[in-house]
PDB file of all heavy atoms in Angstrom:
ATOM      1  N   TRP A 303     -95.503  -7.889-154.136  1.00 79.00           N
ATOM      2  CA  TRP A 303     -95.078  -7.170-152.928  1.00 79.00           C
ATOM      3  C   TRP A 303     -94.158  -8.094-152.136  1.00 79.00           C
ATOM      4  O   TRP A 303     -94.558  -9.118-151.598  1.00 79.00           O
ATOM      5  CB  TRP A 303     -96.301  -6.783-152.104  1.00 79.00           C
ATOM      6  CG  TRP A 303     -95.982  -6.035-150.839  1.00 79.00           C
ATOM      7  CD1 TRP A 303     -95.962  -6.547-149.576  1.00 79.00           C
ATOM      8  CD2 TRP A 303     -95.659  -4.656-150.705  1.00 79.00           C
ATOM      9  NE1 TRP A 303     -95.642  -5.590-148.660  1.00 79.00           N
ATOM     10  CE2 TRP A 303     -95.445  -4.397-149.322  1.00 79.00           C
ATOM     11  CE3 TRP A 303     -95.511  -3.613-151.602  1.00 79.00           C
ATOM     12  CZ2 TRP A 303     -95.115  -3.148-148.844  1.00 79.00           C
ATOM     13  CZ3 TRP A 303     -95.177  -2.364-151.131  1.00 79.00           C
ATOM     14  CH2 TRP A 303     -94.982  -2.132-149.759  1.00 79.00           C
ATOM     15  N   ASN A 304     -92.869  -7.733-152.070  1.00 71.00           N
ATOM     16  CA  ASN A 304     -91.859  -8.639-151.535  1.00 71.00           C
ATOM     17  C   ASN A 304     -91.371  -8.247-150.155  1.00 71.00           C
ATOM     18  O   ASN A 304     -90.241  -8.568-149.768  1.00 71.00           O
ATOM     19  CB  ASN A 304     -90.671  -8.716-152.497  1.00 71.00           C
ATOM     20  CG  ASN A 304     -90.095  -7.333-152.798  1.00 71.00           C
ATOM     21  OD1 ASN A 304     -90.551  -6.329-152.256  1.00 71.00           O
ATOM     22  ND2 ASN A 304     -89.093  -7.294-153.676  1.00 71.00           N
ATOM     23  N   LYS A 305     -92.185  -7.540-149.421  1.00 71.00           N
ATOM     24  CA  LYS A 305     -91.807  -7.169-148.068  1.00 71.00           C
ATOM     25  C   LYS A 305     -92.031  -8.347-147.127  1.00 71.00           C
ATOM     26  O   LYS A 305     -92.701  -9.327-147.451  1.00 71.00           O
ATOM     27  CB  LYS A 305     -92.607  -5.958-147.604  1.00 71.00           C
ATOM     28  CG  LYS A 305     -92.471  -4.737-148.521  1.00 71.00           C
ATOM     29  CD  LYS A 305     -91.074  -4.157-148.499  1.00 71.00           C
ATOM     30  CE  LYS A 305     -90.986  -2.897-149.354  1.00 71.00           C
ATOM     31  NZ  LYS A 305     -89.636  -2.303-149.341  1.00 71.00           N
ATOM     32  N   THR A 306     -91.461  -8.228-145.942  1.00 73.00           N
ATOM     33  CA  THR A 306     -91.622  -9.309-144.958  1.00 73.00           C
ATOM     34  C   THR A 306     -93.003  -9.309-144.321  1.00 73.00           C
ATOM     35  O   THR A 306     -93.431 -10.318-143.780  1.00 73.00           O
ATOM     36  CB  THR A 306     -90.562  -9.171-143.842  1.00 73.00           C
ATOM     37  OG1 THR A 306     -90.682  -7.875-143.234  1.00 73.00           O
ATOM     38  CG2 THR A 306     -89.163  -9.335-144.426  1.00 73.00           C
ATOM     39  N   GLU A 307     -93.702  -8.181-144.398  1.00 80.00           N
ATOM     40  CA  GLU A 307     -95.032  -8.084-143.841  1.00 80.00           C
ATOM     41  C   GLU A 307     -96.032  -7.730-144.932  1.00 80.00           C
ATOM     42  O   GLU A 307     -95.667  -7.181-145.974  1.00 80.00           O
ATOM     43  CB  GLU A 307     -95.081  -7.020-142.732  1.00 80.00           C
ATOM     44  CG  GLU A 307     -94.223  -7.342-141.523  1.00 80.00           C
ATOM     45  CD  GLU A 307     -94.304  -6.247-140.473  1.00 80.00           C
ATOM     46  OE1 GLU A 307     -94.816  -5.156-140.797  1.00 80.00           O
ATOM     47  OE2 GLU A 307     -93.858  -6.483-139.333  1.00 80.00           O
ATOM     48  N   TYR A 308     -97.285  -8.057-144.680  1.00 86.00           N
ATOM     49  CA  TYR A 308     -98.339  -7.676-145.618  1.00 86.00           C
ATOM     50  C   TYR A 308     -98.474  -6.159-145.670  1.00 86.00           C
ATOM     51  O   TYR A 308     -98.265  -5.463-144.684  1.00 86.00           O
ATOM     52  CB  TYR A 308     -99.673  -8.301-145.202  1.00 86.00           C
ATOM     53  CG  TYR A 308     -99.767  -9.783-145.451  1.00 86.00           C
ATOM     54  CD1 TYR A 308     -99.412 -10.694-144.468  1.00 86.00           C
ATOM     55  CD2 TYR A 308    -100.215 -10.275-146.676  1.00 86.00           C
ATOM     56  CE1 TYR A 308     -99.498 -12.054-144.683  1.00 86.00           C
ATOM     57  CE2 TYR A 308    -100.304 -11.635-146.907  1.00 86.00           C
ATOM     58  CZ  TYR A 308     -99.939 -12.525-145.908  1.00 86.00           C
ATOM     59  OH  TYR A 308    -100.032 -13.873-146.134  1.00 86.00           O
ATOM     60  N   TRP A 309     -98.848  -5.666-146.856  1.00 88.00           N
ATOM     61  CA  TRP A 309     -99.026  -4.227-147.016  1.00 88.00           C
ATOM     62  C   TRP A 309    -100.278  -3.759-146.294  1.00 88.00           C
ATOM     63  O   TRP A 309    -101.339  -4.404-146.361  1.00 88.00           O
ATOM     64  CB  TRP A 309     -99.140  -3.866-148.495  1.00 88.00           C
ATOM     65  CG  TRP A 309     -99.469  -2.414-148.717  1.00 88.00           C
ATOM     66  CD1 TRP A 309     -98.596  -1.372-148.776  1.00 88.00           C
ATOM     67  CD2 TRP A 309    -100.773  -1.850-148.883  1.00 88.00           C
ATOM     68  NE1 TRP A 309     -99.253  -0.196-148.975  1.00 88.00           N
ATOM     69  CE2 TRP A 309    -100.603  -0.453-149.038  1.00 88.00           C
ATOM     70  CE3 TRP A 309    -102.056  -2.378-148.912  1.00 88.00           C
ATOM     71  CZ2 TRP A 309    -101.672   0.413-149.234  1.00 88.00           C
ATOM     72  CZ3 TRP A 309    -103.128  -1.523-149.093  1.00 88.00           C
ATOM     73  CH2 TRP A 309    -102.938  -0.141-149.249  1.00 88.00           C
ATOM     74  N   LEU A 310    -100.172  -2.642-145.588  1.00 90.00           N
ATOM     75  CA  LEU A 310    -101.306  -1.986-144.952  1.00 90.00           C
ATOM     76  C   LEU A 310    -101.221  -0.494-145.238  1.00 90.00           C
ATOM     77  O   LEU A 310    -100.114   0.061-145.342  1.00 90.00           O
ATOM     78  CB  LEU A 310    -101.304  -2.225-143.436  1.00 90.00           C
ATOM     79  CG  LEU A 310    -101.743  -3.611-142.943  1.00 90.00           C
ATOM     80  CD1 LEU A 310    -101.514  -3.736-141.442  1.00 90.00           C
ATOM     81  CD2 LEU A 310    -103.212  -3.869-143.282  1.00 90.00           C
ATOM     82  N   PRO A 311    -102.343   0.187-145.392  1.00 91.00           N
ATOM     83  CA  PRO A 311    -102.319   1.621-145.671  1.00 91.00           C
ATOM     84  C   PRO A 311    -101.605   2.398-144.562  1.00 91.00           C
ATOM     85  O   PRO A 311    -101.686   2.035-143.382  1.00 91.00           O
ATOM     86  CB  PRO A 311    -103.808   1.993-145.740  1.00 91.00           C
ATOM     87  CG  PRO A 311    -104.515   0.715-146.039  1.00 91.00           C
ATOM     88  CD  PRO A 311    -103.724  -0.351-145.364  1.00 91.00           C
ATOM     89  N   GLU A 312    -100.927   3.472-144.960  1.00 90.00           N
ATOM     90  CA  GLU A 312    -100.218   4.322-144.017  1.00 90.00           C
ATOM     91  C   GLU A 312    -100.616   5.779-144.232  1.00 90.00           C
ATOM     92  O   GLU A 312    -100.747   6.226-145.381  1.00 90.00           O
ATOM     93  CB  GLU A 312     -98.709   4.175-144.195  1.00 90.00           C
ATOM     94  CG  GLU A 312     -98.190   2.769-143.913  1.00 90.00           C
ATOM     95  CD  GLU A 312     -96.696   2.663-144.121  1.00 90.00           C
ATOM     96  OE1 GLU A 312     -96.080   3.686-144.550  1.00 90.00           O
ATOM     97  OE2 GLU A 312     -96.135   1.586-143.868  1.00 90.00           O
ATOM     98  N   PRO A 313    -100.782   6.545-143.148  1.00 90.00           N
ATOM     99  CA  PRO A 313    -101.145   7.964-143.295  1.00 90.00           C
ATOM    100  C   PRO A 313    -100.114   8.763-144.078  1.00 90.00           C
ATOM    101  O   PRO A 313    -100.465   9.727-144.757  1.00 90.00           O
ATOM    102  CB  PRO A 313    -101.250   8.450-141.853  1.00 90.00           C
ATOM    103  CG  PRO A 313    -101.482   7.218-141.039  1.00 90.00           C
ATOM    104  CD  PRO A 313    -100.757   6.123-141.740  1.00 90.00           C
ATOM    105  N   ALA A 314     -98.850   8.354-143.993  1.00 88.00           N
ATOM    106  CA  ALA A 314     -97.803   9.092-144.696  1.00 88.00           C
ATOM    107  C   ALA A 314     -97.996   9.061-146.210  1.00 88.00           C
ATOM    108  O   ALA A 314     -97.523   9.952-146.926  1.00 88.00           O
ATOM    109  CB  ALA A 314     -96.431   8.523-144.340  1.00 88.00           C
TER     110      ALA A 314
END
Side-chain angles (χ1 to χ4, degrees):
W303 180 258
N304 55 2
K305 303 293 183 180
T306 57
E307 296 179 347
Y308 287 92
W309 174 85
L310 285 173
E312 297 179 357

